[in-house]
């Protein structure tokens, strides 16, 4: 069974940093592209970042470029999102999502981890 | 950036009736390789999103065949036949043809 489990969320002050993790199981993690997507409280979905299977290709939303860094450790079946210079508007549930191999869609999602940026 | 516009934003449907959600993109979603990476996601209350349709009309594994997708270019539709109580939630279209990937605003489906 494919599982994605996010962790690392919490309360942080504006300007602070946080590192999110997403641990994968039930599939060969190293073969799949991954993404981060976030959802502010009561709002819609916002794509955040993309990382290819071998980490050679990375993209970011303009809203996080220069502040967030995505990475992965295929040996540990883990995806990461380092978030620096956090702002109030970064408050959201952060989901990791797998890209399927047959049609570029986000086929499996984690349960999400809540990041709250507040003083 | 490609803007995804969904209509309606809310939908109230009688059990057993059908529902239709429209999604329009600000530019063509046909990828240079010929595919169109338009998918539909369902988010039930308190749950993460769940993939239901990808590449316009392909059903994801385990999704009831009451869900179907159609469209081309810039206009797409999700149809739910014989709506059931478990279909309550918010539905999003999403384009992955171009970066940044973008989502529609979401359409909230409720039972009348």
């Amino acid at each position: 069974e494919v599982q994605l489990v996010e962790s690392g969320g919490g309360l942080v002050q504006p300007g602070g940093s946080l590192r999110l993790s997403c641990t994968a199981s039930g599939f060969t993690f190293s073969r799949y592209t991954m993404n981060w997507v976030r959802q502010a409280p009561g709002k819609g979905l916002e794509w955040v970042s993309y990382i290819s299977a071998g980490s050679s290709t990375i993209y970011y939303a303009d809203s996080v470029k220069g502040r967030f860094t995505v990475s992965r450790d295929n040996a540990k079946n883990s995806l990461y999102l380092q978030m620096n210079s956090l702002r109030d508007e970064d408050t959201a549930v952060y989901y990791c999502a797998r890209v399927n191999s047959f049609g570029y869609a986000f086929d499996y999602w984690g349960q999400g981890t809540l990041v709250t940026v507040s003083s | 950036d490609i803007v995804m516009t969904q209509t309606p934003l809310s939908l109230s449907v009688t059990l057993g009736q059908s529902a239709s959600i429209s999604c329009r993109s600000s530019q063509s979603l046909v990828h240079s390789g010929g595919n169109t990476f338009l998918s539909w996601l369902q988010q039930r209350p308190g749950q993460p999103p769940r993939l239901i349709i990808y590449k316009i009309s392909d059903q994801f594994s385990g999704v009831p065949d009451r869900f179907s997708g159609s469209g081309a270019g810039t206009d797409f539709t999700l149809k739910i036949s014989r709506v059931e109580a478990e279909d309550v939630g918010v539905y999003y279209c999403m384009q992955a043809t171009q970066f940044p990937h973008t989502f529609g605003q979401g359409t909230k489906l409720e039972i009348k």
Side-chain angles (χ1 to χ4, degrees):
Chain A
E1 179 193 4
V2 172
Q3 281 200 317
L4 297 169
V5 179
E6 300 93 340
S7 60
L11 175 63
V12 61
Q13 291 188 337
S17 298
L18 216 50
R19 189 196 197 204
L20 305 184
S21 299
C22 169
T23 303
S25 61
F27 65 102
T28 305
F29 180 71
S30 60
R31 294 181 182 175
Y32 287 84
T33 294
M34 299 293 295
N35 285 263
W36 287 98
V37 176
R38 68 184 180 183
Q39 186 170 35
K43 302 297 184 182
L45 300 170
E46 180 188 14
W47 172 78
V48 172
S49 184
Y50 162 110
I51 184 168
S52 61
S55 304
S56 59
T57 304
I58 287 173
Y59 294 102
Y60 298 100
D62 284 348
S63 57
V64 307
K65 201 174 294 182
R67 300 187 300 121
F68 289 12
T69 302
V70 64
S71 63
R72 62 191 296 163
D73 185 336
N74 287 341
K76 294 183 178 179
N77 292 335
S78 293
L79 172 72
Y80 306 103
L81 187 67
Q82 176 66 43
M83 304 186 297
N84 298 332
S85 303
L86 283 161
R87 305 167 180 167
D88 291 351
E89 55 266 33
D90 296 318
T91 294
V93 174
Y94 285 74
Y95 298 102
C96 60
R98 189 185 85 164
V99 175
N100 68 0
S101 56
F102 43 82
Y104 200 94
F106 295 1
D107 62 351
Y108 287 96
W109 297 63
Q111 287 294 318
T113 187
L114 176 62
V115 172
T116 303
V117 184
S118 175
S119 53
Chain B
D1 297 2
I2 297 177
V3 177
M4 306 295 287
T5 303
Q6 288 182 229
T7 54
L9 298 184
S10 65
L11 203 48
S12 184
V13 181
T14 302
L15 287 173
Q17 297 300 302
S18 64
S20 186
I21 301 170
S22 172
C23 176
R24 179 166 290 179
S25 59
S26 60
Q27 53 188 276
S28 173
L29 298 186
V30 179
H31 189 265
S32 57
N35 284 312
T36 300
F37 298 120
L38 184 282
S39 56
W40 290 94
L41 302 154
Q42 175 196 61
Q43 187 173 32
R44 291 170 171 152
Q47 295 294 312
R50 166 197 177 206
L51 178 66
I52 50 175
I53 299 287
Y54 64 97
K55 282 201 304 181
I56 301 177
S57 58
D58 290 347
Q59 278 186 332
F60 186 54
S61 174
V63 172
D65 59 9
R66 302 181 290 103
F67 291 87
S68 63
S70 63
T74 61
D75 287 288
F76 307 93
T77 301
L78 174 70
K79 184 175 179 182
I80 311 171
S81 305
R82 308 179 305 279
V83 167
E84 298 184 4
E86 66 176 19
D87 300 335
V88 164
V90 180
Y91 291 81
Y92 296 92
C93 60
M94 175 197 151
Q95 70 79 20
T97 292
Q98 188 180 110
F99 289 96
H101 298 334
T102 47
F103 296 86
Q105 317 96 300
T107 295
K108 186 174 185 178
L109 175 68
E110 62 176 25
I111 302 301
K112 199 179 290 184

